[in-house]
Every structure is written in structure tokens, then in C-alpha cells.
Amino acid sequence: MITTLKRVAKNLLAVPAVRKVYEGGTRVTLNLFGSHRLPATAYSVPGLLTFNREQYAVLSGRRAYYRALSTSRPTHVELRRNIHRLEKGMSMQPRRPVFARDYIAETVDYYRVAVAGQAGDRSIEGDELLWAREVLTEYFEIVPDGDPAVDRARSRFAAIPVPDGETNGVPMRPYPQRDIKPSDITYDQLLALAKQRRSIRWFEQRPVPRDLIDKALLVGRESPTACNRLPYEFLVFDDPEMVRKVASIPFGTAGYHHQIPTVIVVKGNLDNYFSPRDRHAIYIDSALATMGFLYALETLGLSSSVINWPDFEPLEMKMAKTLGLAPHERVICLIAVGYADRDALVASSPKKSLDVLRRFNVAR
């Protein structure tokens, strides 16, 4: 049905007279409703469904966030956020003698729930719990006695059983920047890698080793992420039937989806947030992780193409049904991965000049 409607619309817009009327009407509409927030609000009423899915997803995510607070999960984003806040407080120059008094009790409560989950064998990640324990221990060591809120939290923390696991020399507390070992990668090497990475759409018909996907993901997950929450998942499909089904959904794969060896759906999870102000973080953090992932694939001999995912209701519904997504799980993009067909053509795609992309000290 969707394909038929697309074909009809495309054929109609190919008629010059129809195209001219369509573009003229679009310009009049935009001049009228795009001039101020008030007419834009009026315009949004008949087009409610265009933005309703995002609103529903945000509300559903916040609902799931609060429902999960008293349960144990593999990752506790509320604990991750607060532990990250403590680390930032520890790293301030100069560091205040007492800080985090407004959320330290909450953080200890989050930690207690997480420890109880490990004791109940409900599979919380060990490193996440170790990190929380180490940072909280450091916090109570450096913040002096005497503040009632901090002292109450200190007593409650001391009463929580020490969870299993050891750091084994991995830094789990803030550490000096000088302790970071510099890499041997030069700027010229990095620039060469960026130029090497092209969008590849034609692949050899051989499977992609899963261990190489995992290696590339180890690089992607090191990307910056707000409050260390990593609000995304990479859904990897390498079964030919599933690849065909998933890769054929986006508009942008027409004509080549049939020969993609592996397709990955990058999914953002809005249940990582209690506030709608963070609703766009899934797109930023996922994009940052995706770029690191793509560069890592290149070093492993694999090529890729990012498949655009427009916010189009019929496709959103089809993908959600195909993957069994919850309302608060949003598709960010898709990635085709495989070994490049060396004889296939690659788009040159020259980039914009720096003079277009960059400005210094200019505001308008």
C-alpha cells in the first residue's frame, strides 16, 4: 500500500504543471505558518500525527523510567547519571569541600537497589556496580564529616553489603589526565581514515564475522554520552531473511537492499530519561557512537553505509512491528555492513569547504 502511494505521488509530481502548483502552494503555506510560533501552532493541529509519535515516545519513556526505579535491570541509568555527576564534582577546580548534598541520599538509594539486584542474581552489569561503589567510596573519603545530609548518606552507604567483583587495576575513580596513555595515531592517519571511509552500498556475498562487529562496537561505545548513560542499542541482523525484511523497509535502500550481508538498526531508548528536556540526547549520543563504530569497521577491513531514517509514520509503524519495539524505543538510523565489492562505483561526494562550515566569534 505504501509503495503504491509513493509511486502515484512520484508520478504526479513528475508532471511539470502539478509540480509547479505543489511548490507554489508549499511556499505560500511556509510563508504564512513559518513566520511565527503562533501560526505554527495552528498549523500543527491538523498535522498532529506528524509530531504525536515523538510526544508519545517521550511520555512512554518517562513512564518506563519511573516504573523501573524499584526494580533491578542489567543497567541502572539513574545510578549511572548520579555517579557521573559525583565524578564531575570531584574533578572541579577548585573542588568544593562539600558538594552533591542535594542528591547524595538519592544516589545511595539507587546504589542500594542495584546491590540488592546483584544479590538476587538479576544480572546487573558488574562493572557498573563496581564503578558506583568506587566513586561513592571516594566521595565519602574526601567529603568531611559534619554535614547532616552527607553524614546520613554516609551511614546508609556503610550499611550496604559490599558487592562481588574487583577492579583489577582498571581505574574506577577520577584520575589525573596525565595517566591517560597517548595513542600512536597521528592527525594525518586519522584524516586518511576519514577519507577512506566512504558510503559503500555494494558488497561481496560473504558473511560478516560477529567478532569484528563487536570489536567495532568497543570503539563506538567510547564516544561521549550525556552523563555516561549510553541510551542506545545496536540491533544486528545477519540472518539473510531478517536482513532482507529489515533492510527493505527504509526508502533509501531501494535497488540494493537485496545484497546487504549485515544490517544494523541503531535504536535510541527514551526510558533513560526522567525529563522531556533530554529527548534529543538519544540522537546525539547514538550518532557519536555510530561514527566511532564506522571508523572502527574500516580498520577491520569492513565497509558500511549509513541508511537515513526519516520520521515517516507508515515506516515507523512497520519497523516497530517488525522489531517489536516499545513506544519509547526510536530508530535513529540503519547501517549496512559488509566487505566492499571492489568493482562497484562509489559516489565522490565532495564536502563543503571550511569557510562554509566554520565561523569564529560570529553570532547572528
Side-chain angles (χ1 to χ4, degrees), residues 90 111 131-142 157 173:
M90 294 174 185
Y111 175 72
W131 173 50
R133 184 190 73 190
E134 289 296 304
V135 171
L136 281 167
T137 299
E138 175 86 357
Y139 172 82
F140 288 119
E141 287 175 356
I142 64 177
F157 175 69
R173 305 182 185 193

Side-chain angles (χ1 to χ4, degrees), residues 28-43:
V28 170
T29 301
L30 294 177
N31 284 334
L32 177 62
F33 294 102
S35 60
H36 194 274
R37 291 187 67 172
L38 187 59
T41 301
Y43 177 84

Side-chain angles (χ1 to χ4, degrees), residues 48-68:
L48 178 64
L49 289 179
T50 304
F51 303 105
N52 177 255
R53 173 174 286 275
E54 182 179 35
Q55 185 181 53
Y56 176 37
V58 171
L59 290 172
S60 175
R62 295 173 66 195
R63 176 173 178 260
Y65 173 92
Y66 282 108
R67 283 189 163 194

Side-chain angles (χ1 to χ4, degrees), residues 135-176:
V135 171
L136 281 167
T137 299
E138 175 86 357
Y139 172 82
F140 288 119
E141 287 175 356
I142 64 177
V143 175
D145 296 340
D147 185 279
V150 174
D151 289 346
R152 285 193 297 270
R154 193 193 316 271
S155 297
R156 292 164 69 179
F157 175 69
I160 299 173
V162 177
D164 298 333
E166 297 295 332
T167 62
N168 296 320
V170 177
M172 292 282 187
R173 305 182 185 193
Y175 54 90

